[in-house]
Amino acid sequence: MSEITDFDALRRALAENSEEPEGPARNARAEQLLAEAEKLNVPLAVIEALGHQLKVYNYSSEKDKMFVPFARLLRLWDERPEDFDEYEAHSLHWVFKWMSAGMLDQPHIPLASVEKWLGEMEHRYRLAGYSERAVRSAELRVAAHIGDLPRAERAYAAWLAADRDRMADCHACELHAQGIWQVRCGRDAEALRLWRPVLEGEFACAHEPHTVLASSLAPLLRLGRTEEARAHHLRGVRLVRPMESMRGAYADHVEFCALTGNEARGLELLAERPAYFTDTGHPRSRLDFMAVVALLMDRLTELGLGGQRVPGPAGRTWTARELAAHARAEATDLGERFDRRNGTSAVGDRIRARMAQRPLAERLPLGVRTVRPAPAPAATPPAPDVPDEPDPAALLAEARRLSDTLQPHALEAWAAVARAAPDGTGLEARARAEIADHEAMARGPEGLPLFGRAAELYAEAGDPGEALAARARGAYVRALAGEVDAALATVTGLYDEVLALYADEGTGVRQTASVVMSRARILMRRVHEVAEREAGRAVGAAEAAVREVLALVEGRGGDDVRLAARAAEARAMLAELAGLTGDAERAAELFRRAADGYVTAGLPWFAVEYEVQVAALAHQAGDLAGAERALRAALEHGGPYVEPVGRAQLHLQLAEVLGGRDAPAEAAEHALEAAHWADEAGESGTLGAWARQQLGGFLLRRGRYAEAAEVLESALADLSAETHGDGLVVQARWWLGDCLGELGEHRAAAEQRLEAAELARHWPEQQDHATLAHLAAESLGNAGLDEEADRAYARAGDLWRALGNAQFLVRSLRARAWLALGGEHGAAHARALMAEAVREGESALAAAQGADREELAAELGGTHQQFAELLARSASEEAEDAAIRAAFEAALEQMTRAVAVFAGLGAAGLHSRTGAELGAGWLEADLGRPARAAARARAVLAVYEGADDADGTARARREEAAQMLEAAREGTETEQG
């Protein structure tokens, strides 16, 4: 942290702090900067620091701290206005609005004081020549808060009538406030009309559309506009999540979950913001938050989940029932405090109504996986401890501690030392060597000269071993840059020197191990670069070098984590070499030992890379359980130290493994996490699209078609064959087509399947192409597009024929026959197509052997049966009785052939045979042969005599046979009568 020595440095520090996340840390830094400003003896410096402090307080949970810096600023203005520049004078008047709202939100501030400040604001604005627009807006907030609706209406009208000037809030914020008033008056549709420009991106600011999205949720639900509400929730919660000052908007999202059957997602949101339960700096947003917590907990209790553990205030565990009581008491107490201050019941009435709301939708799908336990909030990795006043000695000690224990942020800590002591001023040679060494590591190839400088300084400090280690590190960086041979030549000499030095006790094991490890690393690089004919020799040299590292450091770690880390890395190198030589089992074992070594040494974040390798090898070996264990360990050990893109990859890999283990529910959970972290990493269009594609597939497997369709449509907006491969795109469209078909959107399903089929057209293996063409034809037929369906079935049939898949060729012909029956070609074409299907089936069955015969026989029997049904249905189109009778006779022949084919299947074809037998019986009856119909019915009854009533098919067959006997009896009596 740089020392503040002048006004410019202060301004830079203020600007840097403004960019930090909202919260206590930023606020504390603002307080420090004010103290620094006061040392500069520059009035404007103090004014700017006070303004900055006021701003960060306003946008945090410590809003109650705003009033002190504001009072001081106002006093400075009254005493010496000439000390304010134009910007600070404008800012002082601007924050009057924050003061009126801020006082209103603090129940301990008397209402008379709030009104006094409102009057003061109006007076000062008038003196400064500003419009009364901002004043009337502030008055509306006061009047609406205390329940004085007539005054609020007058203020609202005056606000809109006044001219917009520099004191008016931005368009986005003004539209939000206007919409809030419309909602208060019960005019939800008008509010949404006002908010439309913000929601559509026409107006925006640092906190919009964040709050408009949140505020729009309940009005949209009340108006039945659930699709928009879902979209606003998914978009809005991501915006407010990182902003501490958004507790009120965050409460709106929790409320949305409670009102739409997404209670589990509501718990997730609560778990992500534990501080919201206890932050007291802004009582009004705390009141809203506790009210919706009570609402959500009541809903869980109603659902029979009152005993479920839920996230709540820190310090104890909570059940939903217990938290409901706690939150209601807190909200009620806060509401009463506001009402006592205001002299009305307006706040309490509003809060009681909010807690008493009933769900507005039984279950509103969000397109994301929400039915899962809420995870504990991720911890933020600790940054180096940096004193407020940069002390080179303290910074040096901290940097050495971090680097000696291989902690994250070590390089940043050394950079802080370098900034605190430019050019190493005042530091001994050893410290200057370490600064140069770590700067070289941080800079990669560009830092090569610094390794040499570090070596010179180590030698000057009397540590020749570390000097050799620094030069060896430089050699490894050269190898990374592609100069492997030169690097190897350099490190070989250093290796000889350090071994001689170590033998003479001129250096320690740590320094020696560093050089030996650098040599091993370079030889590993060489393994990957040599030609195949030299690979064996390169692998042997690398393995020997790695084993030297192990021989040197094995069992000598003690409290020195560096040596333990060397041993772990060496095992990982041996694992890599084992993998290169085809010994996957040994590679996996060595990677596991490497990971365990890092974990045992207290360096779990280094284990992640090797646990991923274990997972990959287990996956290749078909050991999905082992892959799952390794990936779970990687996520656990990586914790907050893995970058967002790495976390996305880990979650996505685990999702795929869980999907392969038939656990789509948890797989969807990890796919969602993968999508979230990909978005955080700025990889929405690449890794994020892949994650959403997987999530959509898992939701589809669970039968959640509407949610899966939404997710897959979102994924396809980013998926491309160039980036993700056409296989991923084809699968996404395939899944989406399945979802749309289940939802009855058959035309859209056909479009997706046809596009997928077109992509698969050029694949060497045509099975997917044929399947997609067939599915597209089904969708086109279901959409009533018969001609298009026929062409698609014909295309699929050609593909099935080329693939030798007679079963699906027959199905495509049957489907075309049914389409033809209702088309312009009529019954004749339909019969011809069905006859072709029979011929293809018979030919395939004659050539088949083994298990294929049973499947093809069943298909052929089904084709005869469908041919009979088609002939019977087409008979109604015949003009002459003779033609109709001929059609029925032909149908009976086909049905009889179906019975014979199914009979050949034995027990496996029993139900199919009896179904065809009954079909033939009805045809006999239609042809005026009741006795034959009765004989077929009795044959079916005989087959099922003594059958278990639990067999639904058998029961249905017996009932139909009995009906047929009764109909035959009546037919016989009619003939005889």
Side-chain angles (χ1 to χ4, degrees):
M1 189 177 294
S2 301
E3 184 177 0
I4 306 300
T5 57
D6 56 37
F7 197 7
D8 287 338
L10 174 69
R11 283 178 162 168
R12 287 194 298 272
L14 292 172
E16 290 169 1
N17 198 45
S18 293
E19 296 302 314
E20 292 298 311
E22 297 174 355
R26 186 170 76 156
N27 295 354
R29 177 61 174 154
E31 293 164 2
Q32 296 164 3
L33 291 174
L34 175 59
E36 294 292 329
E38 290 171 334
K39 298 176 184 177
L40 297 178
N41 198 29
V42 177
L44 185 56
V46 174
I47 291 167
E48 290 188 10
L50 283 167
H52 173 71
Q53 187 182 78
L54 197 159
K55 178 181 179 180
V56 299
Y57 284 154
N58 183 62
Y59 294 115
S60 77
S61 61
E62 297 179 306
K63 290 177 184 284
D64 55 341
K65 292 184 176 182
M66 290 191 301
F67 307 109
V68 172
F70 179 73
R72 186 175 172 188
L73 273 172
L74 196 58
R75 185 172 66 252
L76 291 173
W77 170 262
D78 288 337
E79 292 172 355
R80 292 181 58 84
E82 64 271 20
D83 289 340
F84 288 70
D85 62 15
E86 182 179 357
Y87 177 83
E88 293 303 327
H90 175 271
S91 296
L92 175 68
H93 287 83
W94 181 270
V95 296
F96 260 102
K97 297 179 291 183
W98 297 356
M99 291 305 104
S100 62
M103 290 180 176
L104 197 64
D105 295 340
Q106 303 289 334
H108 68 279
I109 297 179
L111 187 61
S113 297
V114 176
E115 294 284 4
K116 175 186 174 184
W117 273 101
L118 184 61
E120 182 76 5
M121 176 183 175
E122 182 173 8
H123 172 69
R124 289 179 180 267
Y125 274 33
R126 187 179 300 114
L127 287 178
Y130 294 125
S131 162
E132 66 172 2
R133 188 178 181 91
V135 177
R136 299 285 78 83
S137 174
E139 183 185 8
L140 168 64
R141 286 195 293 271
V142 173
H145 174 72
I146 65 177
D148 187 346
L149 300 187
R151 180 187 178 191
E153 283 281 12
R154 293 193 299 272
Y156 183 80
W159 172 24
L160 298 187
D163 294 333
R164 278 188 57 82
D165 64 358
R166 295 176 63 207
M167 281 299 113
D169 286 337
C170 74
H171 283 291
C173 288
E174 279 209 332
L175 289 172
H176 178 231
Q178 291 167 21
I180 289 294
W181 173 245
Q182 296 301 326
V183 170
R184 177 70 179 273
C185 296
R187 298 188 284 264
D188 289 338
E190 177 60 16
L192 291 164
R193 186 191 67 80
L194 286 167
W195 289 334
R196 183 183 55 77
V198 182
L199 296 170
E200 293 181 357
E202 184 178 344
F203 302 121
C205 68
H207 290 79
E208 296 295 354
H210 312 46
T211 57
V212 164
L213 285 164
S215 297
S216 71
L217 296 172
L220 285 167
L221 289 172
R222 286 193 293 265
L223 292 170
R225 294 160 62 174
T226 54
E227 292 291 329
E228 291 173 70
R230 175 174 59 187
H232 290 190
H233 169 67
L234 293 174
R235 178 184 170 197
V237 77
R238 183 64 58 83
L239 290 173
V240 302
R241 180 178 280 119
M243 304 181 75
E244 185 197 51
S245 63
M246 289 292 202
R247 180 162 58 180
Y250 204 82
D252 290 339
H253 286 281
V254 176
E255 177 185 57
F256 168 85
C257 293
L259 296 177
T260 60
N262 288 288
E263 294 84 5
R265 183 169 174 81
L267 292 177
E268 228 182 302
L269 297 182
L270 295 185
E272 291 177 9
R273 278 294 187 180
Y276 278 171
F277 287 100
T278 52
D279 287 344
T280 59
H282 190 231
R284 190 169 180 182
S285 69
R286 185 161 185 260
L287 169 64
D288 287 326
F289 184 76
M290 297 309 288
V292 301
V293 169
L295 172 69
L296 178 60
M297 297 304 120
D298 282 346
R299 180 63 182 151
L300 287 170
T301 303
E302 286 179 19
L303 294 172
L305 300 172
Q308 178 177 320
R309 287 186 60 175
V310 295
R316 57 161 287 187
T317 59
W318 296 88
T319 65
R321 189 177 293 106
E322 291 167 343
L323 186 56
H326 171 80
R328 178 173 288 97
E330 290 278 339
T332 301
D333 177 65
L334 276 169
E336 289 174 353
R337 288 172 57 194
F338 277 107
D339 284 343
R340 282 195 299 271
R341 190 272 304 271
N342 298 337
T344 69
S345 65
V347 175
D349 291 343
R350 180 176 64 84
I351 289 303
R352 284 186 287 274
R354 191 168 197 181
M355 292 189 291
Q357 291 179 97
R358 302 304 304 156
L360 296 174
E362 181 179 347
R363 174 79 170 92
L364 176 60
L366 303 179
V368 292
R369 174 92 172 120
T370 62
V371 186
R372 65 185 178 97
T380 302
D385 294 330
V386 180
D388 298 335
E389 290 285 344
D391 175 8
L395 292 174
L396 180 61
E398 176 64 6
R400 282 173 172 167
R401 182 188 72 80
L402 292 173
S403 58
D404 285 347
T405 55
L406 298 177
Q407 298 296 306
H409 301 301
L411 291 178
E412 293 92 327
W414 282 107
V417 176
R419 289 192 297 272
D423 300 322
T425 303
L427 296 178
E428 59 185 7
R430 173 76 189 196
R432 286 181 282 129
E434 290 170 295
I435 291 172
D437 202 359
H438 286 88
E439 184 179 351
M441 296 179 205
R443 295 175 72 177
E446 295 179 1
L448 272 172
L450 288 170
F451 283 115
R453 174 61 179 157
E456 293 171 359
L457 289 167
Y458 281 128
E460 182 183 329
D463 192 342
E466 199 62 60
L468 292 172
R471 294 189 187 280
R473 285 189 285 273
Y476 177 54
V477 170
R478 287 189 70 183
L480 291 177
E483 300 178 43
V484 177
D485 290 339
L488 185 57
T490 300
V491 82
T492 299
L494 297 171
Y495 167 77
D496 292 338
E497 286 185 58
V498 81
L499 289 183
L501 192 63
Y502 181 58
D504 292 339
E505 299 184 350
T507 191
V509 66
R510 177 192 282 192
Q511 292 84 354
T512 306
S514 182
V515 176
V516 176
M517 177 57 84
S518 291
R519 176 172 172 267
R521 288 171 174 170
I522 293 169
L523 285 166
M524 289 294 294
R525 294 293 299 177
R526 192 165 180 270
V527 167
H528 294 286
E529 295 197 1
V530 296
E532 185 176 345
R533 55 186 168 77
E534 301 176 34
R537 188 182 312 134
V539 168
E543 182 172 348
V546 173
R547 292 194 180 281
E548 282 191 56
V549 175
L550 273 175
L552 182 63
V553 302
E554 191 86 86
R556 304 184 64 172
D559 293 332
D560 190 338
V561 299
R562 282 181 175 270
L563 295 182
R566 297 286 189 217
E569 184 181 354
R571 287 197 177 85
M573 289 176 171
L574 291 175
E576 185 178 352
L577 292 171
L580 289 172
T581 57
D583 192 346
E585 186 175 345
R586 176 160 175 74
E589 174 59 25
L590 286 166
F591 277 131
R592 272 191 291 270
R593 291 182 64 189
D596 291 344
Y598 279 121
V599 173
T600 301
L603 306 170
W605 48 89
F606 286 117
V608 173
E609 176 183 353
Y610 306 121
E611 283 156 341
V612 170
Q613 293 282 2
V614 171
L617 290 167
H619 203 294
Q620 290 169 15
D623 179 12
L624 294 185
E628 179 185 342
R629 285 193 299 273
L631 289 168
R632 288 190 188 280
L635 279 168
E636 176 189 353
H637 293 144
Y641 301 103
V642 177
E643 292 295 320
V645 69
R647 295 181 77 166
Q649 291 166 339
L650 286 174
H651 279 292
L652 185 54
Q653 289 177 56
L654 183 52
E656 292 177 325
V657 169
L658 288 165
R661 299 199 71 196
D662 198 26
E666 193 178 359
E669 175 184 326
H670 285 284
L672 176 61
E673 289 293 323
H676 166 70
W677 288 110
D679 291 342
E680 292 291 311
E683 296 288 341
S684 295
T686 51
L687 186 59
W690 184 9
R692 280 184 279 276
Q693 187 254 15
Q694 290 292 300
L695 173 58
F698 295 133
L699 291 170
L700 169 61
R701 283 170 60 179
R702 300 197 64 220
R704 296 167 63 169
Y705 305 117
E707 294 169 72
E710 183 179 344
V711 171
L712 290 165
E713 286 167 349
S714 173
L716 281 165
D718 292 318
L719 287 173
S720 68
E722 295 76 19
T723 301
H724 302 92
D726 52 9
L728 209 67
V729 181
V730 166
Q731 186 64 82
R733 294 198 181 280
W734 193 329
W735 283 337
L736 180 54
D738 291 347
C739 293
L740 295 170
E742 292 289 345
L743 294 170
E745 300 176 32
H746 300 297
R747 184 188 290 264
E751 290 173 359
Q752 293 299 327
R753 289 166 167 174
L754 286 169
E755 288 193 42
E758 188 60 29
L759 279 173
R761 175 191 289 273
H762 305 293
W763 291 359
E765 171 53 57
Q766 288 289 283
Q767 177 74 26
D768 286 339
H769 181 200
T771 303
L772 285 162
H774 198 111
L775 290 171
E778 287 183 4
S779 295
L780 290 165
N782 291 331
L785 302 171
D786 291 353
E787 290 186 15
E788 292 88 340
D790 181 71
R791 286 196 294 271
Y793 275 124
R795 172 185 174 187
D798 291 341
L799 292 166
W800 293 130
R801 192 187 303 277
L803 288 166
N805 191 324
Q807 187 175 11
F808 278 89
L809 170 59
V810 167
R811 291 181 182 182
S812 66
L813 288 166
R814 290 198 313 243
R816 292 182 66 198
W818 285 109
L819 288 168
L821 185 61
E824 62 181 61
H825 299 295
H829 186 50
R831 292 170 184 169
L833 286 166
M834 197 66 82
E836 185 181 352
V838 168
R839 289 193 298 275
E840 292 288 351
E842 290 173 337
S843 175
L845 181 60
Q849 295 179 350
D852 288 346
R853 286 189 58 81
E854 186 172 310
E855 284 189 8
L856 288 168
E859 202 68 51
L860 177 58
T863 304
H864 282 303
Q865 190 169 5
Q866 287 197 37
F867 198 175
E869 292 165 357
L870 183 141
L871 288 165
R873 191 174 302 178
S874 67
S876 62
E877 299 179 6
E878 306 293 346
E880 301 293 334
D881 288 345
I884 294 174
R885 187 172 183 83
F888 274 86
E889 291 285 6
L892 178 59
E893 179 186 351
Q894 291 294 330
M895 197 67 80
T896 301
R897 294 172 69 182
V899 171
V901 173
F902 288 136
L905 293 171
L910 175 62
H911 291 327
S912 297
R913 176 169 69 86
T914 54
E917 191 80 70
L918 290 169
W922 290 117
L923 287 167
E924 297 277 20
D926 288 337
L927 287 165
R929 301 166 187 161
R932 293 185 183 182
R936 290 185 183 273
R938 281 192 289 270
V940 171
L941 288 171
V943 168
Y944 289 116
E945 185 174 357
D948 187 352
D949 279 347
D951 186 335
T953 303
R955 189 169 59 249
R957 293 283 191 269
R958 286 202 303 265
E959 291 171 357
E960 187 178 352
Q963 292 171 3
M964 185 176 292
L965 275 175
E966 179 62 25
R969 183 185 61 78
E970 294 175 356
T972 301
E973 290 175 353
T974 300
E975 277 185 2
Q976 294 174 349

